[in-house]
Structures are given as C-alpha cells and as structure tokens.
Amino acid sequence: MRMENHPSNGRRAMEEELTKGRDIANHLLEVLVDHKPNTHEGSMVPFVEDLVRNVLCSFTNTLLLLNTDNDVSNEVVKDVTSSVECPKPQDRDEACKSSFGTKIRRGCYKRNAPTWETNSSILMEDGYVWRKYGQKMTMNAKYLRSYYRCTHKYDESCPAIKHVQRIQEDPPLYRTTYYGHHNCKTSLSPEIMLEHSASSSDSSMFLSFSDTFPRKEHLFSSSLFSSTKEEPMEVIPEDNSVHNQLPSSDYLLLCDYELDFNYSRHDMLSSNESDQFDYGSSLDFCG
DNA sequence: CAAATTTGACCTCA
DNA sequence: TGAGGTCAAATTTG
C-alpha cells in the first residue's frame, strides 16, 4: 500500500489528513482514559477504548505504510484490540489466571491467544512498569525476543506479561504481544500521563497511541516517556554506551525514538506505538 | 543495598 | 528432540 506513485503533494496531504485523524483519535482516547472512573470498571469504556485504539491503529499503520520504503505490509499492527476480550468483572480474576495459560510448573506455558499484539517503530511506555525476565533468539526471527512481566507480578499477583520482538531493522519495528491483563493497582494516573505527554510536546501523541493501555507508574524519567523499564529488547551490543545511564528500556526507547525521527516523521508513529500498547496501558488490559 | 538486567539452565509441548 | 518460555543466580545499576 505504499503510495510512491502519488504526487508528492498529494501524498503529503494524505499524510497530513491521516496524522490529523490519528491525533484526534489520540485525544479521544486520552479523554476516555482520563474520565474512566476506575480501570476495572466493567462498563462499556473498555469496549469504546478498544474501538478508539483500533482507529489509532489504522491511522498508524497507514502512516507507517505511507512513510516506509520497505514493504512492511506484513508487519503492520495486526490488531490492537482484536483479541482483547474484557472479562466481566466477576470473571476477571479467572481470566487473568488463564491468560497465562496453563502454567503450573516452571516451563509449562501453554498460552491462550495474546491479549494484544501491536507493532511499532519505537518502544514506548504504556504506563506499566515491566521487568524483563528473559530474552531469546527464536527460529524465525532475526532478532532477539525479549520477555517482560509486570513488576507487580509478585506483590500484586499481576499476571500481565509481554513479549517484544524486533521485526525490522530499518526503520526499526517492534512487535509487542501482550498476554493477560494487569490487575495491579499501580498504574499511572491519567493526569500524569497527560501531563507527561504535554510536556513532551510533539511527542505527546506518541505515547498514547497505540498504546493504549493502562498505565502506571513512573513516568518518564529521562527518556521521553517512559518508563517502564522495558524494552530494551534486544540487546543492542553496539552502541549502548551512549545510553548507559538509562534503564535498558529507557535507552532503547530513546534510541528508537531518535531513529524514528529520522525515518518517519515522528508523527507517524507518534503514536507510537510504542507504546505499543503498552502503552497500552491504557487498556489496561482490561484489567 | 535494593532493584533491575543478563544469561544459562530448566521445563513443557508439539 | 528442538523450540519457546520461564526461572534464578550472577551481575549491573542507581
């Protein structure tokens, strides 16, 4: 769906319109999240959020395709919310347990379908704090896959985990797959998230975007957003020197963010996905 | 020193 | 038996 054949000005106009639509959707999402009384509210809010996220996802994918020289049609965000099924309040605990599959003992991890899967060109904060617990090279991937679990896995029995797989080098593209929903209470308040986004000027939108989900914790330390400590994803052997002071995730975030700027206008991703949803946080995993 | 990350070992499933 | 996912000791970071 690349549009190389379109006149440059026509393409620019399309980008502008798409960016505008995405930004509006982002605002809508922020408003939604901001007014959500309680993350565990079993109402329609999660459903509406999913819809908004899907809209954002579409905008982002389109912008991504429009701005990428490589054919990334297969790498586009599949469906930010597709597999999200917010359990009824009373079933939530059960859902969280099962969301991890049938793990009973170490190594036994038969998972259910991912709660979310998203691709993004940069790694951003989704409002949750993640703890990396492993990384591995997988058969069909050129890059390492990193495994993260919610930092509150033990203190709050939060079952949320996510896998981050780099799927493309240039421009950098990451696929984040979420499993389970957060049931921890330590998410960032919408105000903080908004504040943060506001302070990061342009990048503000980024964050929220795909991400979508709930949020939590800390804010963005030195890096633009986020915090979470996540994403370092693959080890970046070379060149981390510059980022040594940041949590792995942070430096990766920064790194990606910068790269992002070079490739695609940040706006495109702005959203970013990065946040990938995790940002998603917003969604909070329904949880 | 506590918390986070790294990394090799371990475990289960197909 | 290999691949994917997790554990946990060692190491690093703030």
Side-chain angles (χ1 to χ4, degrees), chain A residues 34-73:
Chain A
D34 197 20
H35 290 76
K36 182 160 55 176
N38 184 318
T39 41
H40 287 276
E41 206 79 330
S43 63
M44 298 243 333
V45 174
F47 174 65
V48 174
E49 277 189 23
D50 284 351
L51 292 178
V52 175
R53 290 179 205 297
N54 273 332
V55 171
L56 284 170
C57 183
S58 294
F59 279 121
T60 299
N61 286 341
T62 303
L63 284 166
L64 175 64
L65 292 167
L66 200 59
N67 286 282
T68 307
D69 290 334
N70 302 321
D71 181 0
V72 293
S73 55

mmCIF file of all heavy atoms in Angstrom, chain A residues 34-73:
data_model
loop_
_atom_site.group_PDB
_atom_site.id
_atom_site.type_symbol
_atom_site.label_atom_id
_atom_site.label_comp_id
_atom_site.label_asym_id
_atom_site.label_seq_id
_atom_site.Cartn_x
_atom_site.Cartn_y
_atom_site.Cartn_z
ATOM 1 N N ASP A 34 -8.948 9.442 30.692
ATOM 2 C CA ASP A 34 -8.952 10.415 31.778
ATOM 3 C C ASP A 34 -10.248 10.379 32.552
ATOM 4 O O ASP A 34 -10.294 10.626 33.753
ATOM 5 C CB ASP A 34 -8.747 11.803 31.172
ATOM 6 C CG ASP A 34 -8.336 12.782 32.245
ATOM 7 O OD1 ASP A 34 -7.867 12.336 33.301
ATOM 8 O OD2 ASP A 34 -8.491 13.977 32.021
ATOM 9 N N HIS A 35 -11.304 10.081 31.883
ATOM 10 C CA HIS A 35 -12.590 10.080 32.576
ATOM 11 C C HIS A 35 -13.034 8.713 33.014
ATOM 12 O O HIS A 35 -14.133 8.546 33.521
ATOM 13 C CB HIS A 35 -13.647 10.694 31.672
ATOM 14 C CG HIS A 35 -13.438 12.160 31.498
ATOM 15 N ND1 HIS A 35 -12.454 12.669 30.690
ATOM 16 C CD2 HIS A 35 -14.031 13.217 32.085
ATOM 17 C CE1 HIS A 35 -12.476 13.997 30.757
ATOM 18 N NE2 HIS A 35 -13.420 14.339 31.594
ATOM 19 N N LYS A 36 -12.181 7.816 32.802
ATOM 20 C CA LYS A 36 -12.581 6.480 33.224
ATOM 21 C C LYS A 36 -12.501 6.468 34.741
ATOM 22 O O LYS A 36 -11.449 6.642 35.312
ATOM 23 C CB LYS A 36 -11.650 5.436 32.621
ATOM 24 C CG LYS A 36 -12.063 4.068 33.000
ATOM 25 C CD LYS A 36 -11.478 3.057 32.047
ATOM 26 C CE LYS A 36 -10.003 3.138 31.925
ATOM 27 N NZ LYS A 36 -9.465 2.104 31.090
ATOM 28 N N PRO A 37 -13.566 6.237 35.389
ATOM 29 C CA PRO A 37 -13.615 6.233 36.835
ATOM 30 C C PRO A 37 -12.687 5.233 37.458
ATOM 31 O O PRO A 37 -12.045 5.483 38.434
ATOM 32 C CB PRO A 37 -15.058 5.873 37.132
ATOM 33 C CG PRO A 37 -15.759 5.762 35.853
ATOM 34 C CD PRO A 37 -14.792 5.913 34.738
ATOM 35 N N ASN A 38 -12.645 4.138 36.900
ATOM 36 C CA ASN A 38 -11.874 3.094 37.531
ATOM 37 C C ASN A 38 -11.454 2.123 36.459
ATOM 38 O O ASN A 38 -12.234 1.729 35.642
ATOM 39 C CB ASN A 38 -12.788 2.401 38.523
ATOM 40 C CG ASN A 38 -12.017 1.372 39.283
ATOM 41 O OD1 ASN A 38 -11.223 0.670 38.706
ATOM 42 N ND2 ASN A 38 -12.239 1.316 40.542
ATOM 43 N N THR A 39 -10.245 1.750 36.504
ATOM 44 C CA THR A 39 -9.775 0.855 35.464
ATOM 45 C C THR A 39 -10.508 -0.453 35.426
ATOM 46 O O THR A 39 -10.508 -1.140 34.432
ATOM 47 C CB THR A 39 -8.314 0.513 35.663
ATOM 48 O OG1 THR A 39 -8.085 0.305 37.009
ATOM 49 C CG2 THR A 39 -7.451 1.557 35.116
ATOM 50 N N HIS A 40 -11.085 -0.792 36.468
ATOM 51 C CA HIS A 40 -11.734 -2.090 36.453
ATOM 52 C C HIS A 40 -13.197 -1.974 36.188
ATOM 53 O O HIS A 40 -13.964 -2.889 36.346
ATOM 54 C CB HIS A 40 -11.518 -2.788 37.780
ATOM 55 C CG HIS A 40 -10.121 -3.246 37.897
ATOM 56 N ND1 HIS A 40 -9.683 -4.421 37.371
ATOM 57 C CD2 HIS A 40 -9.030 -2.638 38.413
ATOM 58 C CE1 HIS A 40 -8.387 -4.531 37.600
ATOM 59 N NE2 HIS A 40 -7.982 -3.473 38.227
ATOM 60 N N GLU A 41 -13.559 -0.839 35.851
ATOM 61 C CA GLU A 41 -14.949 -0.635 35.587
ATOM 62 C C GLU A 41 -15.390 -1.639 34.549
ATOM 63 O O GLU A 41 -14.781 -1.789 33.509
ATOM 64 C CB GLU A 41 -15.055 0.718 34.982
ATOM 65 C CG GLU A 41 -16.318 1.256 35.205
ATOM 66 C CD GLU A 41 -16.559 1.828 36.518
ATOM 67 O OE1 GLU A 41 -16.023 1.432 37.514
ATOM 68 O OE2 GLU A 41 -17.377 2.676 36.481
ATOM 69 N N GLY A 42 -16.417 -2.286 34.763
ATOM 70 C CA GLY A 42 -16.819 -3.291 33.798
ATOM 71 C C GLY A 42 -17.704 -2.760 32.718
ATOM 72 O O GLY A 42 -18.301 -3.485 31.971
ATOM 73 N N SER A 43 -17.817 -1.515 32.613
ATOM 74 C CA SER A 43 -18.726 -0.941 31.672
ATOM 75 C C SER A 43 -18.293 -1.029 30.242
ATOM 76 O O SER A 43 -17.514 -1.864 29.843
ATOM 77 C CB SER A 43 -18.857 0.505 32.000
ATOM 78 O OG SER A 43 -17.590 1.038 31.818
ATOM 79 N N MET A 44 -18.820 -0.119 29.465
ATOM 80 C CA MET A 44 -18.500 -0.096 28.061
ATOM 81 C C MET A 44 -17.207 0.606 27.782
ATOM 82 O O MET A 44 -16.718 0.567 26.672
ATOM 83 C CB MET A 44 -19.590 0.699 27.360
ATOM 84 C CG MET A 44 -20.911 0.045 27.513
ATOM 85 S SD MET A 44 -21.575 -0.471 25.997
ATOM 86 C CE MET A 44 -20.936 0.554 24.800
ATOM 87 N N VAL A 45 -16.676 1.254 28.754
ATOM 88 C CA VAL A 45 -15.460 2.008 28.494
ATOM 89 C C VAL A 45 -14.380 1.179 27.840
ATOM 90 O O VAL A 45 -13.785 1.612 26.858
ATOM 91 C CB VAL A 45 -14.924 2.632 29.795
ATOM 92 C CG1 VAL A 45 -13.595 3.272 29.538
ATOM 93 C CG2 VAL A 45 -15.935 3.671 30.279
ATOM 94 N N PRO A 46 -14.102 0.018 28.341
ATOM 95 C CA PRO A 46 -13.052 -0.760 27.698
ATOM 96 C C PRO A 46 -13.370 -1.014 26.234
ATOM 97 O O PRO A 46 -12.503 -0.960 25.372
ATOM 98 C CB PRO A 46 -13.052 -2.053 28.501
ATOM 99 C CG PRO A 46 -13.556 -1.640 29.850
ATOM 100 C CD PRO A 46 -14.624 -0.618 29.539
ATOM 101 N N PHE A 47 -14.610 -1.262 25.966
ATOM 102 C CA PHE A 47 -15.010 -1.541 24.607
ATOM 103 C C PHE A 47 -14.776 -0.314 23.740
ATOM 104 O O PHE A 47 -14.231 -0.394 22.637
ATOM 105 C CB PHE A 47 -16.493 -1.925 24.597
ATOM 106 C CG PHE A 47 -17.039 -2.093 23.221
ATOM 107 C CD1 PHE A 47 -16.564 -3.114 22.406
ATOM 108 C CD2 PHE A 47 -18.005 -1.225 22.729
ATOM 109 C CE1 PHE A 47 -17.069 -3.269 21.117
ATOM 110 C CE2 PHE A 47 -18.494 -1.382 21.451
ATOM 111 C CZ PHE A 47 -18.030 -2.404 20.642
ATOM 112 N N VAL A 48 -15.188 0.820 24.262
ATOM 113 C CA VAL A 48 -15.011 2.057 23.499
ATOM 114 C C VAL A 48 -13.532 2.321 23.294
ATOM 115 O O VAL A 48 -13.100 2.736 22.225
ATOM 116 C CB VAL A 48 -15.666 3.247 24.252
ATOM 117 C CG1 VAL A 48 -15.351 4.547 23.539
ATOM 118 C CG2 VAL A 48 -17.171 3.026 24.330
ATOM 119 N N GLU A 49 -12.775 2.060 24.319
ATOM 120 C CA GLU A 49 -11.334 2.281 24.200
ATOM 121 C C GLU A 49 -10.760 1.400 23.102
ATOM 122 O O GLU A 49 -9.890 1.806 22.344
ATOM 123 C CB GLU A 49 -10.638 1.954 25.514
ATOM 124 C CG GLU A 49 -10.690 3.094 26.499
ATOM 125 C CD GLU A 49 -9.800 2.818 27.694
ATOM 126 O OE1 GLU A 49 -8.877 2.018 27.566
ATOM 127 O OE2 GLU A 49 -10.064 3.409 28.738
ATOM 128 N N ASP A 50 -11.244 0.202 23.061
ATOM 129 C CA ASP A 50 -10.748 -0.707 22.036
ATOM 130 C C ASP A 50 -11.042 -0.146 20.651
ATOM 131 O O ASP A 50 -10.217 -0.220 19.745
ATOM 132 C CB ASP A 50 -11.427 -2.074 22.173
ATOM 133 C CG ASP A 50 -10.853 -2.856 23.339
ATOM 134 O OD1 ASP A 50 -9.830 -2.406 23.898
ATOM 135 O OD2 ASP A 50 -11.403 -3.898 23.672
ATOM 136 N N LEU A 51 -12.225 0.396 20.531
ATOM 137 C CA LEU A 51 -12.596 0.944 19.233
ATOM 138 C C LEU A 51 -11.658 2.093 18.877
ATOM 139 O O LEU A 51 -11.156 2.181 17.754
ATOM 140 C CB LEU A 51 -14.048 1.452 19.266
ATOM 141 C CG LEU A 51 -15.129 0.365 19.415
ATOM 142 C CD1 LEU A 51 -16.504 1.018 19.488
ATOM 143 C CD2 LEU A 51 -15.064 -0.595 18.233
ATOM 144 N N VAL A 52 -11.424 2.934 19.850
ATOM 145 C CA VAL A 52 -10.545 4.078 19.595
ATOM 146 C C VAL A 52 -9.153 3.585 19.248
ATOM 147 O O VAL A 52 -8.488 4.090 18.351
ATOM 148 C CB VAL A 52 -10.477 5.001 20.824
ATOM 149 C CG1 VAL A 52 -9.467 6.116 20.598
ATOM 150 C CG2 VAL A 52 -11.850 5.585 21.095
ATOM 151 N N ARG A 53 -8.740 2.595 19.963
ATOM 152 C CA ARG A 53 -7.401 2.079 19.698
ATOM 153 C C ARG A 53 -7.310 1.503 18.304
ATOM 154 O O ARG A 53 -6.295 1.600 17.629
ATOM 155 C CB ARG A 53 -7.050 1.013 20.715
ATOM 156 C CG ARG A 53 -6.835 1.591 22.058
ATOM 157 C CD ARG A 53 -6.516 0.484 23.057
ATOM 158 N NE ARG A 53 -6.879 0.901 24.388
ATOM 159 C CZ ARG A 53 -6.342 1.906 25.007
ATOM 160 N NH1 ARG A 53 -5.391 2.585 24.424
ATOM 161 N NH2 ARG A 53 -6.739 2.251 26.192
ATOM 162 N N ASN A 54 -8.364 0.878 17.888
ATOM 163 C CA ASN A 54 -8.347 0.322 16.541
ATOM 164 C C ASN A 54 -8.260 1.433 15.515
ATOM 165 O O ASN A 54 -7.589 1.304 14.493
ATOM 166 C CB ASN A 54 -9.603 -0.523 16.295
ATOM 167 C CG ASN A 54 -9.396 -1.945 16.750
ATOM 168 O OD1 ASN A 54 -8.276 -2.447 16.754
ATOM 169 N ND2 ASN A 54 -10.455 -2.605 17.142
ATOM 170 N N VAL A 55 -8.943 2.506 15.812
ATOM 171 C CA VAL A 55 -8.896 3.641 14.883
ATOM 172 C C VAL A 55 -7.462 4.147 14.837
ATOM 173 O O VAL A 55 -6.907 4.400 13.759
ATOM 174 C CB VAL A 55 -9.840 4.778 15.358
ATOM 175 C CG1 VAL A 55 -9.611 6.017 14.531
ATOM 176 C CG2 VAL A 55 -11.287 4.305 15.249
ATOM 177 N N LEU A 56 -6.868 4.270 16.010
ATOM 178 C CA LEU A 56 -5.489 4.755 16.072
ATOM 179 C C LEU A 56 -4.576 3.802 15.330
ATOM 180 O O LEU A 56 -3.657 4.198 14.621
ATOM 181 C CB LEU A 56 -5.045 4.853 17.538
ATOM 182 C CG LEU A 56 -5.599 6.047 18.303
ATOM 183 C CD1 LEU A 56 -5.301 5.898 19.789
ATOM 184 C CD2 LEU A 56 -4.947 7.320 17.795
ATOM 185 N N CYS A 57 -4.861 2.553 15.532
ATOM 186 C CA CYS A 57 -4.038 1.536 14.895
ATOM 187 C C CYS A 57 -4.087 1.688 13.377
ATOM 188 O O CYS A 57 -3.075 1.617 12.692
ATOM 189 C CB CYS A 57 -4.544 0.163 15.317
ATOM 190 S SG CYS A 57 -3.573 -1.179 14.681
ATOM 191 N N SER A 58 -5.279 1.916 12.878
ATOM 192 C CA SER A 58 -5.428 2.066 11.437
ATOM 193 C C SER A 58 -4.677 3.278 10.918
ATOM 194 O O SER A 58 -4.001 3.223 9.898
ATOM 195 C CB SER A 58 -6.917 2.199 11.094
ATOM 196 O OG SER A 58 -7.579 0.992 11.385
ATOM 197 N N PHE A 59 -4.784 4.355 11.660
ATOM 198 C CA PHE A 59 -4.067 5.556 11.240
ATOM 199 C C PHE A 59 -2.569 5.321 11.239
ATOM 200 O O PHE A 59 -1.845 5.688 10.319
ATOM 201 C CB PHE A 59 -4.397 6.727 12.173
ATOM 202 C CG PHE A 59 -5.698 7.395 11.863
ATOM 203 C CD1 PHE A 59 -6.707 7.471 12.805
ATOM 204 C CD2 PHE A 59 -5.920 7.951 10.600
ATOM 205 C CE1 PHE A 59 -7.920 8.103 12.512
ATOM 206 C CE2 PHE A 59 -7.130 8.584 10.306
ATOM 207 C CZ PHE A 59 -8.129 8.653 11.261
ATOM 208 N N THR A 60 -2.138 4.709 12.296
ATOM 209 C CA THR A 60 -0.707 4.478 12.414
ATOM 210 C C THR A 60 -0.197 3.549 11.320
ATOM 211 O O THR A 60 0.841 3.781 10.722
ATOM 212 C CB THR A 60 -0.397 3.854 13.774
ATOM 213 O OG1 THR A 60 -0.805 4.779 14.776
ATOM 214 C CG2 THR A 60 1.085 3.621 13.914
ATOM 215 N N ASN A 61 -0.938 2.495 11.083
ATOM 216 C CA ASN A 61 -0.499 1.564 10.064
ATOM 217 C C ASN A 61 -0.432 2.234 8.706
ATOM 218 O O ASN A 61 0.512 2.046 7.939
ATOM 219 C CB ASN A 61 -1.470 0.380 9.986
ATOM 220 C CG ASN A 61 -1.294 -0.553 11.150
ATOM 221 O OD1 ASN A 61 -0.259 -0.527 11.805
ATOM 222 N ND2 ASN A 61 -2.271 -1.373 11.405
ATOM 223 N N THR A 62 -1.441 3.024 8.451
ATOM 224 C CA THR A 62 -1.477 3.697 7.160
ATOM 225 C C THR A 62 -0.295 4.652 7.024
ATOM 226 O O THR A 62 0.372 4.710 5.992
ATOM 227 C CB THR A 62 -2.791 4.483 7.013
ATOM 228 O OG1 THR A 62 -3.880 3.570 7.184
ATOM 229 C CG2 THR A 62 -2.873 5.098 5.639
ATOM 230 N N LEU A 63 -0.044 5.374 8.096
ATOM 231 C CA LEU A 63 1.089 6.301 8.063
ATOM 232 C C LEU A 63 2.390 5.544 7.929
ATOM 233 O O LEU A 63 3.314 5.961 7.226
ATOM 234 C CB LEU A 63 1.102 7.148 9.346
ATOM 235 C CG LEU A 63 0.042 8.255 9.370
ATOM 236 C CD1 LEU A 63 -0.108 8.803 10.784
ATOM 237 C CD2 LEU A 63 0.462 9.367 8.420
ATOM 238 N N LEU A 64 2.436 4.433 8.605
ATOM 239 C CA LEU A 64 3.654 3.636 8.547
ATOM 240 C C LEU A 64 3.897 3.183 7.109
ATOM 241 O O LEU A 64 4.991 3.292 6.570
ATOM 242 C CB LEU A 64 3.509 2.422 9.464
ATOM 243 C CG LEU A 64 4.653 1.421 9.429
ATOM 244 C CD1 LEU A 64 5.932 2.098 9.947
ATOM 245 C CD2 LEU A 64 4.337 0.234 10.310
ATOM 246 N N LEU A 65 2.869 2.671 6.515
ATOM 247 C CA LEU A 65 2.987 2.185 5.145
ATOM 248 C C LEU A 65 3.335 3.322 4.195
ATOM 249 O O LEU A 65 4.111 3.177 3.264
ATOM 250 C CB LEU A 65 1.667 1.539 4.721
ATOM 251 C CG LEU A 65 1.343 0.251 5.468
ATOM 252 C CD1 LEU A 65 -0.107 -0.151 5.224
ATOM 253 C CD2 LEU A 65 2.279 -0.856 5.017
ATOM 254 N N LEU A 66 2.758 4.424 4.488
ATOM 255 C CA LEU A 66 2.980 5.581 3.642
ATOM 256 C C LEU A 66 4.403 6.107 3.749
ATOM 257 O O LEU A 66 4.971 6.623 2.805
ATOM 258 C CB LEU A 66 1.993 6.670 4.072
ATOM 259 C CG LEU A 66 1.687 7.781 3.086
ATOM 260 C CD1 LEU A 66 1.109 7.182 1.820
ATOM 261 C CD2 LEU A 66 0.664 8.714 3.711
ATOM 262 N N ASN A 67 4.962 5.961 4.897
ATOM 263 C CA ASN A 67 6.297 6.508 5.129
ATOM 264 C C ASN A 67 7.447 5.538 5.059
ATOM 265 O O ASN A 67 8.588 5.905 5.237
ATOM 266 C CB ASN A 67 6.329 7.178 6.502
ATOM 267 C CG ASN A 67 5.578 8.488 6.477
ATOM 268 O OD1 ASN A 67 6.086 9.483 6.007
ATOM 269 N ND2 ASN A 67 4.353 8.461 6.961
ATOM 270 N N THR A 68 7.129 4.314 4.848
ATOM 271 C CA THR A 68 8.202 3.338 4.825
ATOM 272 C C THR A 68 8.596 2.933 3.424
ATOM 273 O O THR A 68 7.763 2.692 2.575
ATOM 274 C CB THR A 68 7.763 2.083 5.592
ATOM 275 O OG1 THR A 68 7.330 2.505 6.875
ATOM 276 C CG2 THR A 68 8.904 1.132 5.721
ATOM 277 N N ASP A 69 9.870 2.872 3.239
ATOM 278 C CA ASP A 69 10.346 2.462 1.920
ATOM 279 C C ASP A 69 10.275 0.970 1.766
ATOM 280 O O ASP A 69 10.080 0.432 0.702
ATOM 281 C CB ASP A 69 11.789 2.916 1.750
ATOM 282 C CG ASP A 69 11.827 4.425 1.632
ATOM 283 O OD1 ASP A 69 10.811 4.998 1.196
ATOM 284 O OD2 ASP A 69 12.842 5.010 1.984
ATOM 285 N N ASN A 70 10.485 0.310 2.856
ATOM 286 C CA ASN A 70 10.447 -1.141 2.786
ATOM 287 C C ASN A 70 9.004 -1.598 2.819
ATOM 288 O O ASN A 70 8.121 -0.902 3.284
ATOM 289 C CB ASN A 70 11.159 -1.736 3.992
ATOM 290 C CG ASN A 70 12.578 -1.264 4.059
ATOM 291 O OD1 ASN A 70 13.244 -1.147 3.043
ATOM 292 N ND2 ASN A 70 13.034 -0.950 5.243
ATOM 293 N N ASP A 71 8.832 -2.757 2.356
ATOM 294 C CA ASP A 71 7.480 -3.273 2.369
ATOM 295 C C ASP A 71 7.226 -3.862 3.737
ATOM 296 O O ASP A 71 7.742 -4.901 4.078
ATOM 297 C CB ASP A 71 7.351 -4.374 1.314
ATOM 298 C CG ASP A 71 5.928 -4.897 1.312
ATOM 299 O OD1 ASP A 71 5.101 -4.407 2.108
ATOM 300 O OD2 ASP A 71 5.670 -5.788 0.508
ATOM 301 N N VAL A 72 6.445 -3.169 4.479
ATOM 302 C CA VAL A 72 6.160 -3.653 5.828
ATOM 303 C C VAL A 72 4.702 -4.043 5.953
ATOM 304 O O VAL A 72 4.165 -4.115 7.039
ATOM 305 C CB VAL A 72 6.476 -2.577 6.873
ATOM 306 C CG1 VAL A 72 7.956 -2.319 6.904
ATOM 307 C CG2 VAL A 72 5.716 -1.317 6.565
ATOM 308 N N SER A 73 4.113 -4.286 4.861
ATOM 309 C CA SER A 73 2.701 -4.625 4.931
ATOM 310 C C SER A 73 2.410 -5.788 5.845
ATOM 311 O O SER A 73 1.355 -5.881 6.439
ATOM 312 C CB SER A 73 2.189 -4.949 3.533
ATOM 313 O OG SER A 73 2.963 -5.954 2.953
#
